[in-house]
Amino acid sequence: MDPRIWSKLPPEILEYILSFLPLKTFLNLRSTCKSFWSLIFTPPFINKHSSSSSSSSSPFSNFLFLSHPQFHHSHFTLYDCNHATNDSSSLHHSSPSSSWFTTLVSSGGLFCLSDPTSCSLLVCNLLAKTSRKIQYPSFNLHLEHLTFVTTPKGYTIFVLFSHSSSSPSSSSSNVFVYDSKVLSWTRFEGRFGVNLGDNIRQHQGVYFNGGLYFATPEPFSVVKFDLGIGKLERPIGVLPNQVTFLRLVGDGGEGKKMYLVGGVGSNGISRSIKLWEFCEENDYGNYWNEVESLPDLMCRKFVSVCYHNYEHVYCFWHEGMICICCYTWPEILYYLVSRKTWHWLPRCPSLPLKCSCGFKWFSFVPNLYAAV
């Protein structure tokens, strides 16, 4: 179209046209001209985009975000959950992004990355192109575990650090919590005293009822870390019998529901995979209520995928879905809570056929106003 025609369009007409753009085009359009930049960041445009997109709580489509070692560091695959399409997108950020960033985790439209070379964390909003660099509390600390969760009032970063100079036999984990409301770290004295396994790569804590909950490897348990007083409480509820692995899943930062995904079997081999919901009762105490069991055929496939190496299994919440993934498998098994049905998300066509491991999926619900 002739640029002179564009310049004469009324703002409300232009807003209406732009509101139909998919996220990838939206991201590319921001750098076209200053008028587009200022226009598409206004509340009227966001409202129109929301009404033309879907019933999602986000103004934009919600995505499943795939990271893999064979992808270029700024090239990721997005699965549009509203339109059931895969899209390979290049998501660039205003801050320098390179392969030395590790521990990519997401929550509430924000991503958190760690940079061991500079002893810092980077929290960024890819949509708004904003970021905050958060320095470690001390430069002689080694990051052992990171949990990044958004809450109704901001976000919280829970980390376990050990002193780099300590020997493995004498090392102890120190708990630090970063609160975005005050932009500072709080250190909780004493040893954490709980083995979280290989959580630095896959398993995060879950925000629920004002605290962070963690599932531990054998001996299995669910523990709560009270963010207010820094106190560790254990165990939380009586666990099901004969579990072979456990993973906790929250409800996406709302902190109202918490689920438990686990295998049930013997001798470390899962014969079935079940889903439980955490229930709080004043008279009978807390307990885990069984919600669903994975159908037998789907269970056989999933067990064969992870080869009974359950350390490769991780779970997360995404817009009403409980996603169960395996670090060595490109597909996602998910449970649709509203319909109480199980499904497989097909393999991403952008992946090379010989990819063997390193598949890491995230929930990406773009939020233009998520503050870093």
Side-chain angles (χ1 to χ4, degrees):
M1 184 183 293
D2 191 326
R4 291 173 296 181
I5 299 177
W6 274 106
S7 63
K8 294 180 181 179
L9 283 176
E12 59 271 16
I13 300 297
L14 186 59
E15 288 182 13
Y16 183 75
I17 294 173
L18 297 179
S19 68
F20 290 96
L21 294 176
L23 179 64
K24 182 179 180 180
T25 307
F26 174 85
L27 293 173
N28 294 331
L29 186 66
R30 292 181 300 178
S31 59
T32 304
C33 65
K34 292 182 179 179
S35 60
F36 277 178
W37 175 275
S38 59
L39 176 64
I40 61 185
F41 276 78
T42 59
F45 170 76
I46 296 298
N47 292 333
K48 286 183 174 62
H49 205 304
S50 178
S51 62
S52 64
S53 173
S54 67
S55 59
S56 170
S57 59
S58 170
F60 307 95
S61 296
N62 59 86
F63 298 89
L64 291 169
F65 182 100
L66 175 61
S67 172
H68 191 272
Q70 293 191 18
F71 286 166
H72 187 265
H73 68 266
S74 62
H75 182 82
F76 303 94
T77 295
L78 301 176
Y79 180 83
D80 189 333
C81 297
N82 293 331
H83 301 96
T85 57
N86 284 287
D87 180 28
S88 297
S89 302
S90 295
L91 300 182
H92 295 275
H93 193 264
S94 57
S95 299
S97 58
S98 61
S99 57
W100 36 258
F101 279 117
T102 59
T103 316
L104 178 66
V105 291
S106 66
S107 181
L110 299 177
F111 284 90
C112 182
L113 308 95
S114 70
D115 176 17
T117 60
S118 65
C119 295
S120 63
L121 302 172
L122 181 70
V123 178
C124 57
N125 185 331
L126 296 178
L127 191 63
K129 286 192 174 182
T130 57
S131 65
R132 179 179 297 276
K133 187 175 182 180
I134 303 172
Q135 207 69 44
Y136 286 2
S138 175
F139 284 97
N140 65 338
L141 295 177
H142 171 70
L143 181 62
E144 290 186 344
H145 169 86
L146 183 149
T147 283
F148 174 75
V149 293
T150 51
T151 65
K153 297 182 179 180
Y155 62 84
T156 296
I157 304 175
F158 173 95
V159 290
L160 292 180
F161 284 115
S162 63
H163 289 280
S164 302
S165 58
S166 301
S167 62
S169 59
S170 61
S171 63
S172 61
S173 297
N174 300 287
V175 177
F176 290 85
V177 175
Y178 182 87
D179 189 342
S180 66
K181 298 190 297 294
V182 295
L183 302 178
S184 64
W185 291 98
T186 300
R187 177 178 179 177
F188 296 99
E189 299 294 336
R191 297 189 177 187
F192 186 61
V194 173
N195 176 26
L196 297 180
D198 189 17
N199 291 282
I200 188 68
R201 184 179 64 189
Q202 294 147 355
H203 320 311
Q204 285 202 88
V206 167
Y207 177 75
F208 173 72
N209 198 22
L212 288 177
Y213 290 73
F214 301 90
T216 69
E218 295 186 78
F220 298 113
S221 66
V222 176
V223 299
K224 174 187 177 182
F225 184 83
D226 192 310
L227 292 171
I229 61 177
K231 181 182 178 182
L232 187 67
E233 302 175 5
R234 52 186 296 183
I236 304 299
V238 179
L239 294 178
N241 295 324
Q242 295 183 310
V243 293
T244 54
F245 73 93
L246 294 176
R247 298 289 181 268
L248 284 175
V249 184
D251 57 357
E254 295 295 327
K256 297 178 180 179
K257 289 189 176 183
M258 180 169 60
Y259 298 91
L260 186 68
V261 177
V264 177
S266 58
N267 300 321
I269 298 177
S270 298
R271 303 300 179 186
S272 62
I273 295 177
K274 296 181 180 292
L275 176 68
W276 298 270
E277 182 179 352
F278 184 67
C279 299
E280 295 181 298
E281 294 289 343
N282 295 329
D283 298 332
Y284 302 100
N286 303 329
Y287 68 95
W288 293 96
N289 179 47
E290 184 176 329
V291 177
E292 288 287 339
S293 292
L294 183 64
D296 186 55
L297 288 178
M298 300 180 81
C299 181
R300 291 181 185 179
K301 176 179 177 178
F302 186 81
V303 171
S304 65
V305 161
C306 59
Y307 301 107
H308 306 298
N309 189 351
Y310 304 117
E311 278 298 311
H312 293 161
V313 178
Y314 59 98
C315 302
F316 61 89
W317 176 273
H318 177 76
E319 296 293 272
M321 300 187 301
I322 297 175
C323 300
I324 310 174
C325 311
C326 185
Y327 194 64
T328 59
W329 189 252
E331 299 178 26
I332 290 181
L333 172 66
Y334 68 93
Y335 175 75
L336 194 56
V337 176
S338 61
R339 297 184 181 180
K340 298 182 178 181
T341 54
W342 297 89
H343 307 272
W344 281 102
L345 182 69
R347 177 191 179 97
C348 172
S350 302
L351 283 171
L353 294 177
K354 294 185 178 181
C355 284
S356 58
C357 64
F359 307 103
K360 191 67 172 75
W361 292 90
F362 307 89
S363 172
F364 180 37
V365 183
N367 185 349
L368 184 63
Y369 301 111
V372 298

